[in-house]
Amino acid sequence: MADLTCSNCGASNADSQKFCGECGIGLSLVCVNGHSNPPSQKFCGECGEVLGESEVAKPSPADEAGERRLVSVLFADLVGF
């Protein structure tokens, strides 16, 4: 097995470890599809899924129904002026 080097403190850790034995930071993040990624990434490098605690803004139910806009209308009849 190869050793993993912690990106935070540089300590050497066993390949089977999920967290650094020196500083406790996660050694890799696994997306919902099972791809392993470095802890510094926000999105999976293989499939683009969101990693860790970061959340992508999702539209609220009101946004999905449509957007409401204020509209002003001006009508002018110039025939026979």
Side-chain angles (χ1 to χ4, degrees):
M1 281 191 186
D3 285 347
L4 291 174
T5 302
C6 177
S7 61
N8 187 48
C9 69
S12 181
N13 296 279
D15 190 34
S16 60
Q17 285 184 243
K18 294 180 182 175
F19 296 91
C20 177
E22 290 294 318
C23 68
I25 194 169
L27 294 174
S28 68
L29 294 174
V30 178
C31 76
V32 294
N33 296 318
H35 303 116
S36 182
N37 295 277
S40 60
Q41 287 187 292
K42 294 179 182 177
F43 297 90
C44 178
E46 293 291 323
C47 65
E49 288 292 325
V50 177
L51 298 173
E53 298 297 320
S54 55
E55 288 290 325
V56 174
K58 295 180 181 176
S60 66
D63 292 339
E64 291 176 3
E67 184 177 332
R68 298 181 80 180
R69 295 183 183 185
L70 180 61
V71 178
S72 298
V73 177
L74 174 64
F75 178 77
D77 185 7
L78 299 176
V79 175
F81 179 79

